[in-house]
Amino acid sequence: MKTIINTLICLVSAFSFAQGTGSIAGLLNDKETGNQPLPFANVTIKGTGKGTTTDFDGLYQIENIEPGSYTVVFSFVGYETLEVPNVKVVANKVTTINSGLGASAAALDEVLIQVVNSREKESALLLEQKKAVEMKQSIGTQELARKGVSDASTAVTKTTGISKEEGSSNIYVRGLGDRYNSTMFNGLPIPSNNSLNKNIDLGIFSTDIIEAIDIDKTYVTRNYGDFGGASINIAGKDYKGPGFFEVNIGTGVNTNAIGVDKFKQQDGPNFTGFYDKNPPANALSGYNFDTSWELKDRDPINTSLGFTGGKSFDLGTESRISLFGHASFGNDFTYKEGIARGGISTQGVARKNFDYESYDYTTGSTFMLNSTYKINNDHNIKYNGFYINSTNQAHEEYYGTIDVFDEAANGGGIVRRSTFKRTQLLVNQLLGEHKIKENLSIDWGATYNSMISSIPDRMQNTLRPIDDDGDLSIKTLSELSDANNHRFYQELTEDEIAGRLSATFQFAKKENDYKGKITAGYNIRTKDVAFEATQYNFSLKTYNNPNDYPIVDFNNLDEFFTQSSYDQSLFQIKTLFGGSTEKPETYDGDLFINAGYINLQYNFGKLILNTGVRVENIEQNIEWITAIAPVGGESTLKETQVLPSLSLKYELNKKQNLKFAASKTYTLPQFIERAPFQYVDITNTYFGNPDLYSSTNYNADLKWEFFPKSGELISFGIFGKIIENPINETTIASATNDISWVNSGDQAKGVGAELEVRKDIFSLKSENDNLEEKLSFGTNISYLNTKQDFDAEKVRKETNYSVQFTEENGPLTGASDWLVNGDISYSKEFSQSMDIMATAAVNYFSDRLYAIGNNQRGGLEDKGFVTLDLIIKSNLTKNFGIGISAKNLLNPTVEQLQQTQNVLTRSFNKGRTLSFSASYKF
Amino acid sequence: MKKFFLSVFALSALFVTSCSDDDDNTNNDGDEVTIDPSDFQLTLNDGDEAELDASKTYQLTGPVVVQSGASLTIPAGTKISASGGTSAYIAVAQGGKIFIEGEANNPVVMTSANETPAPGDWGGLVVCGKAPTNKGGDGGQTATAEVSNLTYGGSEVSDNSGSIKYLRLEYTGAEFNGDKQFNGLSLFGVGNGTTVDYVQSYMGKDDGVEFFGGTVEGNHLVSIGSGDDSIDFADGWNGSGNYWYIKGGTKAGIEGSNNGDNGAATPMTDATISNVSIVGGGSEGGFFIKEGGGKWAISNVYINGYEKGIYIKPATDDPEANSQVAAGEITFTNIQFDEVDNVTDYAGDTSFITEGTSTGAGNGADMPSWAAGWTID
C-alpha cells in the first residue's frame, strides 16, 4: 500500500456559508484498500493557504473561499499528490469535485510542508490497523514520545501481550520467549548480539531512528516461518519535507545511583563507550596486564545529546531526493543492591547466599543516514544505513557464602566481577519499489549487516576468609578454582546478507478497483557467525598450612597482582586449555535460508480473504574447538518447511471488523543449542544437544475491532497456540549440573484473550482558532493460560541426556497470566506553537516462571510488580520544547523465588529515574 | 577439525586390527588404529582394540577416548606424559573397557610432561560405567559426566569397565571452571564388575579419586598432596573400599555426600570403608559428611593432624546429613584420633563414633607396606 492515487468521488450535503463565499467539500477515498475512506489526508487550496484534513470517514470541507477558480491539492504520505485544477467556487454554494478529472503532475511544497510522516502518528497507525487484513499492531513515534519511551525494547512492552524479562534482553510475546520471535529492520533480518539468543537486544535501538515498530502476532507468508510469538519489524525513520534541523539535549539521575558514595567502575572502559582492549602480548609468560584492578569512580549523571536533520531536493516534476540524518549519544547509570542466592537444595538450603550490589553504566551512540530517491511516481529507491555502538559496563560485588559446603562456608566471601560489553551494529540496506503497470508492482530490499559484540578485559576476583572459623574479615584470594580470579576476552561477529523480492499483481478490476491481488516473493538469508573467547586464569599458589595464605586487601588487589608476585610463583597464568596453551575457544556457524511464497488476497465485498503458503529451506552448520571439546567437531541441520497461512477480514460495518488468522509455523533450534560442545558461561556450563529438533507451531487468532472515531479503538481478541515438541532450556542430570536444551514434552498449549481500549474522555476544540484540549486514556490487558508437559521419559528416549523434572507440567517460562498496560494523557494547545502534554503510564505483569524446576526443586518464579512513569512534554515556542519525566515512581522490590522450597533467590529495587530534556528546532 | 587426524609415524607405530563401523569424528579411516607415541590422542570405536607398548613414553597431547565396544590395554611400565592442560585426558565411555596392567614393582604412570610439573598440568583418567547414580533420578537414569559429553549411570550394578591395577596418576586436575575440574581418577557410575585396585593420585589439583555413584570397589588407594579432597564419594555410590592411605590433602581427607541438589536423593550413597589412614592436614577435616551424607559404615581408621576429625555442617545447612547421623545410618567404629583438635562438630549425640586404637591402612601415619614399590611420597 504505497504508491497510489487518491480520487475523489462523492459529495456532501448542506453547509452554511459566510456571506459571499463558497465551499469545497467531498469524500476522499483510498483506491488501494478498495475505496475505503481515506482519513487524515491533507486537502489544500493552492495559493490561498487554506486547507484542512479529511476526517475519520474521509470527509472534508473547506469553507469561506472567495469565489473563483482554484487548484485543489490532495496529499497523503506514501501516496502520490493529486492536483485537481480549475475547481470553480461560487458564492453560497458547495462545490464538489468530479473524480473524472485527471491528475496533474506538479509537486507542491505547500502541501509537503504540512506533511509529517503519518506512520509516526497514533491515529494513522490505528487506521492502518483498521484497513489491514492481518492482525497487525504498531506503535509509532508519537505514542512512544507520549509514553516517554526511548528504546525499542521498552516500546514493544507498551503493546498488548508483550513483556520483558528482568535483567536480560529477552522479550516474551504471549509468553513465548526469544526463540519464538524474530526481529527485522525495514522487513530485512538483523543479526543477534548474544551467542545464546536468536534476536538482537532491542534495547540498543534508540527511538530516535524509529518511525514505528510493527508487531505481527499472526504469521504472514512474507515473514520468516521461524515464528511462534511475533515478528517484530522496526521501520526506520525517513523524511520527505523541505528541510529541518533539530538539537536535543537531556540530563537525569537515578535515585539509587546518585545515592552511592562511589559509582564503581572497572579501569579501562571510557565515558563514550568507544573502547576496545586486546589481551597483552605474552599474557601467559609474565604479568603484563596494564589495566588496574582498582575501581574508578564516575559521576552518575545521565546525559544525552542528539542532532537530527532532513532535507529534500526536487529534481524535475516527479523526481525528488530526500535525506534524513541522525547522530546521538546517550548514557545511563543504574545501581541495584539486594540479595542473590543460588543452588537452593530440595531441603531449601542455599548453597550460595549473598548480599550484592551492581553498578551499571550504559551508553548508546547512534548514527543514521537515510536517503530516498524518488525516480518518478512509479519508482523509488531508498538507502538506509546506520551504525550503533551500544555498551554496558557492569560492576557487581557479592558478599557472603560462596558455597555453604566449601568456600567461605560461614560467610565472608567476596566475588566481584566487572564486565564491559560492547555491541557494534552496522546496517546497510537498499530498498526499492517499482510500479511496472497499473496493476503490477515490484518491491525489493537487500541488506548487508555486520555485528561485533565484544567483551574485552572482563575481570573477576574471588576472596575468602583465610580461616572460616576465625576472623572472617581477614581475606585471601580464593585458590580453589583457577577461574575464581581471571580476565576474559570475547568477540562474537555476525555477518549477514539478506534479500527480499516480491511482485504483486492485481486482478479482477471492477470500476476503479481490483478485487484480487497475488503476491509472489522470494527471500534469501545467509549468515556467518564467528565466536572466540580466551580466559586468562590466575592459578594461585597453594599452601599446606592454611595459615600461610597471604592476606589480600580487597581494595588494593594491584598490590598482589604484580610481576614480582608472578616471579615468586604466587600465581601462574593459564588459559582454559590449561598450561601454556594460548589459543581461543572458537566456534563458527553459518545459516542459509531460501524461501519462496505465494499469497492471494481477494475482496468479496464485506469479506476479504488472504491466504498463502511459504516454503522454506534451511541449512545450519556449526563447527567448534573449545577447551572441553578440544578435538572439535561439527554439526549440520537441514530442513524444508511448508507453511500455510490464512487470514480473513469481515467488515461488520464501517467502524467494525472481525478478523481471523490461522497458520502453521516452526521453531528452529539455535546454532549453539545443537552443538554438543560445552560452553562455559560466567556461572553456568552449557552444552548443546545434537538430538534437538524443530518444534511445530499451530496458531489461531480471532479478533474484533471497533474504531469509534479518529484515534480511538476498542478491540478484543482471543487466540490459541499448540506447540508440538517445545524446546526448553533445563538443567540436565550431570556431575556438574550443566544446562542444555531439550524437546521437553509432546505439547505446549496456550490460550489467551487480549483487550485494547483507546478512548478520548473529552476532546474540546476552541471555536476560533481550532486549538484542542484533550484527555484520553488507553489500556491493554492480556490474559494468558499456558500449559506444557514435562516428560523426562521422552527426553531420555530421544537423547543421550537425562532430566528430572520436578513437575509433570507447568506454564511456559516467561508467561505471565496477566499483563496490563494503562496510560492516561492530558494535552492542551495554548496557541499554534505552544502546547503541553502530560501522561501517566502503568505496567503490570503477574508472577511468571523463570526456569523449570528439576530434581524435586521448585522452579524459579519472577514475582509480578507494577511500574508507574510520569511524562510531561511542552512546546514553548515554535522552535523550543522541553520534557520532564519521572520513571519507576513506585520503585517496587523486584523478587525472584524458588517455588516449592519457597526461598527468595533474588531481591532488589531499581530506583526512580528523573530526567529533563530540551529540544530546539532550526 | 572434522576428522580425527592420524599421523603415520612408521617406526613406533602400533598396528591393531579393528572393525570400526562408520562413526563421524573418529578414526574410521581404515581397519587399523595407528598410534603415534609422540602425539598421543585418539578415539577408539566399537571393535577397536588397542594396546600400548611399555617400552615407549606416550606424549598425551589431547583426548584419548575409548568408546563403547572398544578397549585399550596399557601394559606394566608404560609411561604416559601429558601436556595440554584440560585437553589432555583419557576417558572410557560406557561399554568401553580399559585394562591397566601395572605391577607392584612396575606400575603404569600417567604424569605431567612439564619440566617443572605442577598440580593441574593435565586432566586425568575418567571412567564411565552403567551402574546406578542418583543424579538423574531413582530409576536407573543416566547422567552426563564432566568431560567429553560422556553418559554414565544406569541400572547395571555389575557392569564391567575393565581393570585398573597399579596405576600412578600425577599432577592431574586441570580445570575449566570451579565446577568442572578433573580428578586424578574419576569413576562415574562404574559397576562392580570393574577392578580398581592399587591406584595412587599424587599432587592432583582437585580430588585424588572420586566416585560419582556406581558400585565399584576401590581398594588399595593412595592419595597424596591433593589440592582438594583426597578421596571423595558422592551421588549414590554404593560400594566399598579397603585399605586407603591419605596424606597432605588441602580440604577433606575423605569427603562423602549423597546428592548436592537433594540430600535425600535415592539410591542413597551407601559406603563401607575400612582400614584407612588419613594424615593431615586439611581445612575440612579427616572426614567430611556432606550434602545429605547417605549411609556410611567406616571402621578401623587412623586420623592424624586435623583441626576437625569428623566434620559436618550444622542442621540448618545440611538437615539430611544430620538426620542420617542421628538415625544411626552413619557410624565410625574403632577410629583413632591422633593430634586432632576437635573429634566432631556434630551437635547431637556423638555415640555414632566409637574410638579405639587403629593401625589404619596398615602402618598408622606411615606409608603401608602394600604401597611399597609403585607409589611415591
Side-chain angles (χ1 to χ4, degrees), chain A residues 345-347 349 351 404-406 409-410 469 480-483 539 574 576-578 581 627-628 630-634 676 678 680 685 687 732-738 796 800-804 855-857, chain B residues 1-2 25 63 84-87 119-120 135-137 141-144 146 148-149 151-152 175-181 188 205 228 251 260-264 284 288 290-291 308 313 316-320:
Chain A
S345 71
T346 307
Q347 285 72 33
V349 177
R351 184 175 282 268
V404 72
F405 289 112
D406 204 334
N410 301 324
D469 302 312
L480 183 64
S481 161
D482 291 350
S539 177
K574 295 178 175 180
L576 290 179
F577 284 99
T581 309
I628 297 183
V631 174
E634 65 174 5
Q678 304 189 16
V680 180
T685 303
F687 53 83
I732 67 159
S734 59
T736 47
N737 285 342
D738 298 333
R796 280 194 287 277
N800 282 325
Y801 302 148
S802 176
V803 293
Q804 205 187 358
N855 235 353
Q856 297 172 46
R857 295 179 297 179
Chain B
M1 221 184 308
K2 184 172 177 176
N25 192 19
T86 51
S87 315
K135 209 55 187 166
Q141 291 91 341
T142 59
T144 303
E146 286 170 303
S148 273
N149 229 12
T151 301
Y152 73 96
E175 67 158 66
F176 303 107
N177 65 8
D179 288 335
K180 280 193 178 305
Q181 188 166 14
F188 286 99
K205 187 156 192 221
D228 198 335
K251 297 264 180 164
D261 303 325
N262 176 8
E284 291 178 349
F288 184 6
K290 185 178 171 184
E291 294 170 347
K308 304 162 183 171
K313 293 284 291 185
T316 48
D317 292 344
D318 198 349
E320 288 298 323

Side-chain angles (χ1 to χ4, degrees), chain A residues 422-563:
Chain A
R422 178 183 185 193
T423 298
Q424 295 175 80
L425 175 65
L426 179 66
V427 171
N428 286 285
Q429 297 185 329
L430 208 53
L431 309 156
E433 292 162 343
H434 307 278
K435 190 168 161 188
I436 308 297
K437 288 200 301 188
E438 189 196 327
N439 62 343
L440 177 65
S441 60
I442 287 177
D443 196 343
W444 59 271
T447 187
Y448 170 71
N449 305 327
S450 178
M451 196 288 306
I452 303 174
S453 174
S454 56
I455 300 177
D457 205 16
R458 182 180 82 206
M459 300 177 179
Q460 179 173 324
N461 298 107
T462 307
L463 286 88
R464 63 170 178 86
I466 289 182
D467 182 356
D468 278 346
D469 302 312
D471 183 349
L472 299 181
S473 70
I474 301 172
K475 298 191 200 299
T476 191
L477 287 161
S478 165
E479 80 295 355
L480 183 64
S481 161
D482 291 350
N484 281 348
N485 295 282
H486 72 243
R487 293 185 184 233
F488 173 87
Y489 300 78
Q490 176 189 305
E491 190 166 283
L492 170 73
T493 60
E494 291 204 22
D495 289 317
E496 183 166 48
I497 296 172
R500 60 176 164 85
L501 173 67
S502 67
T504 301
F505 175 72
Q506 291 178 281
F507 62 97
K509 188 168 186 177
K510 190 182 174 192
E511 291 167 12
N512 293 317
D513 192 20
Y514 292 94
K515 288 184 159 313
K517 188 164 92 172
I518 287 182
T519 303
Y522 173 72
N523 291 127
I524 184 169
R525 181 177 190 189
T526 69
K527 182 157 106 162
D528 282 306
V529 179
F531 173 90
E532 67 173 61
T534 308
Q535 182 164 319
Y536 297 95
N537 286 339
F538 298 98
S539 177
L540 298 158
K541 185 179 175 183
T542 56
Y543 300 84
N544 284 332
N545 183 344
N547 298 318
D548 290 346
Y549 282 93
I551 295 172
V552 172
D553 178 3
F554 175 60
N555 295 313
N556 192 3
L557 295 168
D558 286 334
E559 195 177 49
F560 180 83
F561 288 106
T562 59
Q563 181 62 36

Side-chain angles (χ1 to χ4, degrees), chain A residues 149 207 215 256 266 302 391 559 651 697 753 794-795 803 889 897 920:
Chain A
V149 175
T207 47
I215 298 149
N256 280 3
Q266 79 177 88
N302 302 342
T391 67
E559 195 177 49
E651 201 180 290
N697 312 327
K794 174 187 166 84
V795 175
V803 293
L889 279 169
L897 63 76
Y920 193 84

Side-chain angles (χ1 to χ4, degrees), chain A residues 37-149:
Chain A
L38 180 66
F40 319 122
N42 292 297
V43 185
T44 54
I45 301 172
K46 199 173 179 179
T48 66
K50 282 186 186 291
T52 186
T53 54
T54 56
D55 72 7
F56 198 63
D57 296 313
L59 298 169
Y60 74 94
Q61 181 184 8
I62 303 171
E63 297 175 0
N64 303 326
I65 308 169
E66 292 296 329
S69 179
Y70 297 96
T71 298
V72 180
V73 182
F74 299 95
S75 66
F76 186 70
V77 163
Y79 286 65
E80 287 178 25
T81 299
L82 172 70
E83 293 201 6
V84 183
N86 304 317
V87 177
K88 300 278 188 292
V89 175
V90 180
N92 301 326
K93 286 200 170 165
V94 178
T95 305
T96 55
I97 300 170
N98 191 327
S99 65
L101 291 173
S104 77
L108 281 191
D109 277 348
E110 293 104 293
V111 172
L112 286 161
I113 287 165
Q114 296 171 20
V115 175
V116 282
N117 197 333
S118 69
R119 293 204 80 229
E120 297 183 356
K121 285 187 184 168
E122 290 181 75
S123 52
L125 289 169
L126 274 184
L127 178 73
E128 193 177 279
Q129 180 178 336
K130 183 185 178 199
K131 286 182 190 164
V133 180
E134 304 148 16
M135 273 171 249
K136 193 174 187 171
Q137 194 179 357
S138 299
I139 184 164
T141 306
Q142 191 186 49
E143 184 177 350
L144 295 173
R146 186 167 63 82
K147 294 180 177 171
V149 175

Side-chain angles (χ1 to χ4, degrees), chain A residues 120-335:
Chain A
E120 297 183 356
K121 285 187 184 168
E122 290 181 75
S123 52
L125 289 169
L126 274 184
L127 178 73
E128 193 177 279
Q129 180 178 336
K130 183 185 178 199
K131 286 182 190 164
V133 180
E134 304 148 16
M135 273 171 249
K136 193 174 187 171
Q137 194 179 357
S138 299
I139 184 164
T141 306
Q142 191 186 49
E143 184 177 350
L144 295 173
R146 186 167 63 82
K147 294 180 177 171
V149 175
S150 58
D151 69 87
S153 177
T154 314
V156 295
T157 64
K158 298 292 179 188
T159 64
T160 315
I162 301 186
S163 61
K164 186 171 176 285
E165 184 178 290
E166 190 57 47
S168 90
S169 64
N170 289 343
I171 298 290
Y172 288 88
V173 181
R174 294 171 163 177
L176 297 169
D178 179 68
R179 72 177 67 254
Y180 294 101
N181 304 315
S182 64
T183 310
M184 292 187 286
F185 198 94
N186 290 333
L188 290 161
I190 290 278
S192 168
N193 64 330
N194 182 330
S195 53
L196 292 173
N197 282 3
K198 176 178 162 192
N199 292 284
I200 197 160
D201 180 358
L202 287 172
I204 75 168
F205 294 99
S206 152
T207 47
D208 292 333
I209 62 166
I210 298 171
E211 175 186 83
I213 300 172
D214 305 316
I215 298 149
D216 285 322
K217 288 197 282 193
T218 58
Y219 168 72
V220 285
T221 51
R222 67 167 181 275
N223 287 339
Y224 284 89
D226 187 349
F227 167 95
S231 299
I232 295 168
N233 179 44
I234 299 172
K237 240 181 204 172
D238 58 10
Y239 178 74
K240 296 195 178 85
F244 82 105
F245 183 72
E246 187 177 306
V247 179
N248 289 281
I249 58 166
T251 185
V253 292
N254 173 277
T255 53
N256 280 3
I258 202 76
V260 300
D261 293 338
K262 178 176 180 176
F263 196 89
K264 296 177 184 172
Q265 295 276 277
Q266 79 177 88
D267 185 33
N270 54 22
F271 177 79
T272 61
F274 286 83
Y275 171 81
D276 208 353
K277 183 87 185 166
N278 290 318
N282 310 318
L284 299 181
S285 58
Y287 186 77
N288 294 315
F289 296 94
D290 58 7
T291 45
S292 166
W293 296 92
E294 193 182 326
L295 297 169
K296 304 291 178 256
D297 194 5
R298 194 163 268 154
D299 290 331
I301 308 292
N302 302 342
T303 50
S304 66
L305 177 63
F307 303 95
T308 311
K311 193 154 178 60
S312 293
F313 305 92
D314 286 338
L315 308 168
T317 52
E318 289 190 352
S319 184
R320 170 176 282 256
I321 286 179
S322 304
L323 298 172
F324 172 79
H326 171 80
S328 64
F329 170 80
N331 63 9
D332 203 19
F333 293 83
T334 51
Y335 171 77

Side-chain angles (χ1 to χ4, degrees), chain A residues 614-764:
Chain A
R614 180 180 177 100
V615 179
E616 240 173 60
N617 192 284
I618 308 118
E619 183 175 338
Q620 183 177 282
N621 299 299
I622 182 167
E623 57 182 29
W624 59 87
I625 298 175
T626 66
I628 297 183
V631 174
E634 65 174 5
S635 159
T636 296
L637 178 70
K638 286 183 185 173
E639 285 196 12
T640 299
Q641 295 275 356
V642 179
L643 309 163
S645 88
L646 169 74
S647 302
L648 295 171
K649 175 184 172 186
Y650 185 77
E651 201 180 290
L652 294 166
N653 58 41
K654 288 281 178 205
K655 292 182 173 179
Q656 293 184 47
N657 297 320
L658 206 53
K659 291 178 180 176
F660 171 79
S663 61
K664 178 189 168 191
T665 57
Y666 70 97
T667 299
L668 196 68
Q670 298 301 296
F671 279 116
I672 211 167
E673 293 173 353
R674 289 190 74 256
F677 70 85
Q678 304 189 16
Y679 164 74
V680 180
D681 193 350
I682 303 171
T683 44
N684 293 309
T685 303
Y686 299 85
F687 53 83
N689 169 8
D691 298 314
L692 192 68
Y693 53 95
S694 296
S695 313
T696 306
N697 312 327
Y698 297 94
N699 317 290
D701 281 75
L702 182 66
K703 189 176 186 185
W704 168 75
E705 295 172 333
F706 173 43
F707 301 87
K709 67 180 179 100
S710 173
E712 293 190 346
L713 164 73
I714 299 172
S715 76
F716 180 75
I718 54 173
F719 63 88
K721 285 184 185 293
I722 293 175
I723 299 165
E724 289 179 347
N725 307 307
I727 298 169
N728 267 298
E729 181 179 308
T730 185
T731 301
I732 67 159
S734 59
T736 47
N737 285 342
D738 298 333
I739 292 170
S740 190
W741 297 267
V742 295
N743 298 94
S744 52
D746 286 335
Q747 209 177 65
K749 280 185 216 163
V751 292
E754 295 174 338
L755 172 73
E756 185 170 2
V757 178
R758 280 193 238 182
K759 197 99 183 64
D760 293 343
I761 295 167
F762 66 80
S763 171
L764 304 170

